[in-house]
Amino acid sequence: MTTAMGAALRRIQIGNALSAFGNGFTVPFTFVYVSQVRGLGAGIAGAALAAFAVAALFVLPFTGRLIDRRGPVPVAVSGTVLAASGSLGLGLSGSAPAVMAAAGALGAGIAVVQPALATMIVWCSTTLTRSRAFATQFFLNNLGLGLGGLAGGLLVDTAHPASFIRLFATEAMMFLVLGAVVATVRLPRAPRLEKAARTEYGEPSSGGWRALFRDRAMVMVCALGFVMFFACYGQFESGLSAFAVEVARISPTTLGIALAANTAVIVLAQFVVLRLVEYRRRSRVIALVGLVWTVAWLVAGVSGAVHGSRAMAVATIISAYALFGLGEAMLAPTVAPLVADLAPARMVGQYNSAFALVKQLALALGPAVAGVLAAADAYTAYIAMLVVSSLAISVTALLMGRHVTPSQDSPLHPSRVVARSVPHSEPAPSGPSPTAVQPEASGTERISA
């Protein structure tokens, strides 16, 4: 990585960490704030969270194209301004329509920022550093969220609405700090948007959704991503929490400890895990994550079956959350770099946005399905469904491994790294590039992994 790329990446990571810190101030308290502090009730609070998700689903189909056409920096800056306005609006809103509008602005802003930042990380990393760059981003996000949540918990007081206004104002300020930091980033190269090249289908490719859907490997990664986010992230604040409280008889305080254990595993184990997985095949690492989460759900199921021992129930539910954290730490240096390495050179933003859209769909559907099963008291079926979903992650990952190239599946394999360091007789490209571009078997240009 060149000095310029390293400096740009450090700025992006610092800004992202500060934004996560601000986000941590409000994430655990938004529902309570809307329903109790503002007195709007649980229905409006749930609708506000739904507006957050719907707004993200609305903007994501257009975000990737905008990133590829205008570049990630102006898109990211615009997203931070929109998110800041939404966060501040939530703090000042006293009516249901105002809360809904502010939640929508916040959700849309964050949805725009995420793929733009991911694209910037891709541009500022190389084959050798991309996994570590995304692992660092995930580490800093979790550290920032954890510290922000801790600080917010010390400042908040349900008897004083002004304390919540301070939380949302802090979050808004951190979004603006992120925007200011991103605006100062000088990316190694802003790719020139050339006229679409001919694809193997003989048609000009405009870099749209049709081209993405024809990429079988990316379609499989999106399907894999949907199951992953549905079976893990989509359950943390819904079905898994309900199961822990209603079936395992875990107190809310203990549930908070379990969530802290999840974050602690990620923060403490991220770089140890990175050293263990970055030279392995990505498809097999993801398949292993499916097995880890299968065990996690089985352990969670055990916590609901040991009614005679509260200590055992507490230990098993905390262990389940910790196992989910281990799986997340394994995914951080694996999935996001794979999405980037599958993308054609002109469609990095589109691919990142497509994966973010799949993630958002899973995060919206996961709690909805969990809510239906919890309302029916069908917790055995709930655990069984998620065990099957976790096993499906492993199977789908192994199938996906057949549709990616060896360099995409295992970019840091020693023999490949050495091979790429050998100079070729062909002339090198005249300008700097954030990623090496090589022709794939399909005939399209792909960012090499």
Side-chain angles (χ1 to χ4, degrees):
M1 180 183 294
T2 65
T3 302
M5 290 170 69
L9 184 58
R10 284 192 294 273
R11 285 175 179 265
I12 296 167
Q13 301 285 32
I14 291 171
N16 196 40
L18 291 173
S19 174
F21 176 72
N23 200 217
F25 271 74
T26 64
V27 167
F29 312 112
T30 302
F31 189 93
V32 173
Y33 168 74
V34 175
S35 63
Q36 297 181 17
V37 177
R38 289 300 183 185
L40 297 176
I44 297 300
L49 294 178
F52 182 96
V54 170
L57 292 176
F58 179 77
V59 301
L60 278 170
F62 311 100
T63 300
R65 200 71 178 275
L66 192 61
I67 291 171
D68 291 329
R69 287 182 178 274
R70 303 297 181 187
V73 171
V75 175
V77 171
S78 300
T80 60
V81 173
L82 182 59
S85 66
S87 182
L88 189 59
L90 272 174
L92 300 176
S93 297
S95 65
V99 165
M100 298 287 286
L106 178 59
I110 292 176
V112 168
V113 169
Q114 288 178 341
L117 286 178
T119 302
M120 293 176 72
I121 291 173
V122 172
W123 287 15
C124 294
S125 60
T126 67
T127 299
L128 298 178
T129 62
R130 189 163 300 132
S131 291
R132 185 167 294 272
F134 277 103
T136 301
Q137 181 199 34
F138 188 70
F139 166 82
L140 291 175
N141 270 340
N142 280 276
L143 183 62
L145 283 170
L147 294 177
L150 178 62
L154 296 175
L155 296 175
V156 75
D157 185 350
T158 56
H160 297 87
S163 66
F164 285 87
I165 294 176
R166 286 195 293 270
L167 296 188
F168 285 103
T170 300
E171 181 184 39
M173 181 178 67
M174 289 297 101
F175 276 122
L176 294 178
V177 169
L178 171 61
V181 171
V182 167
T184 65
V185 171
R186 295 295 176 262
L187 294 175
R189 178 180 71 104
R192 181 168 56 89
L193 297 178
E194 306 163 350
K195 290 191 174 182
R198 293 270 171 184
T199 69
E200 67 270 29
Y201 295 89
E203 302 171 353
S205 172
S206 60
W209 287 97
R210 186 173 64 173
L212 188 150
F213 287 138
R214 288 192 301 212
D215 186 340
R216 188 171 181 181
M218 182 58 187
V219 170
M220 294 193 72
V221 170
C222 286
L224 184 62
F226 180 87
V227 180
M228 286 190 299
F229 286 105
F230 176 86
C232 180
Y233 300 92
Q235 307 303 324
F236 272 2
E237 296 178 6
S238 55
L240 183 54
S241 298
F243 178 87
V245 173
E246 298 295 331
V247 181
R249 306 300 180 187
I250 300 298
S251 68
T253 301
T254 304
L255 185 60
I257 295 173
L259 286 167
N262 173 267
T263 301
V265 168
I266 294 171
V267 171
L268 296 175
Q270 182 63 83
F271 292 104
V272 175
V273 170
L274 174 64
R275 286 195 294 271
L276 294 176
V277 305
E278 63 181 343
Y279 288 96
R280 270 57 175 189
R281 293 179 60 178
R282 287 166 168 169
S283 57
R284 293 182 180 177
V285 171
I286 299 171
L288 182 57
V289 170
L291 295 179
V292 170
W293 284 353
T294 298
V295 174
W297 282 114
L298 291 173
V299 170
V302 169
S303 72
V306 289
H307 301 296
S309 174
R310 185 176 184 277
M312 180 64 73
V314 169
T316 51
I317 202 69
I318 291 176
S319 297
Y321 273 89
L323 285 169
F324 284 122
L326 177 61
E328 292 173 72
M330 294 168 67
L331 287 178
T334 307
V335 176
L338 177 58
V339 172
D341 293 341
L342 287 173
R346 293 181 299 275
M347 293 181 63
V348 177
Q350 185 95 40
Y351 272 53
N352 282 325
S353 293
F355 194 76
L357 177 60
V358 166
K359 170 185 174 181
Q360 198 62 45
L361 285 169
L363 293 179
L365 186 60
V369 173
V372 170
L373 293 176
D377 201 27
Y379 285 107
T380 300
Y382 173 73
I383 294 294
M385 175 190 70
L386 292 166
V387 167
V388 171
S389 296
S390 298
L391 291 173
I393 293 172
S394 299
V395 174
T396 306
L398 294 176
L399 292 175
M400 178 207 68
R402 301 177 182 179
H403 297 280
V404 296
T405 65
S407 62
Q408 291 166 344
D409 200 19
S410 183
L412 298 188
H413 190 283
S415 63
R416 296 190 186 107
V417 173
V418 172
R420 290 183 183 192
S421 67
V422 177
H424 294 280
S425 58
E426 298 174 2
S430 58
S433 171
T435 52
V437 179
Q438 295 180 350
E440 298 292 341
S442 65
T444 60
E445 286 186 341
R446 291 188 181 277
I447 296 177
S448 68

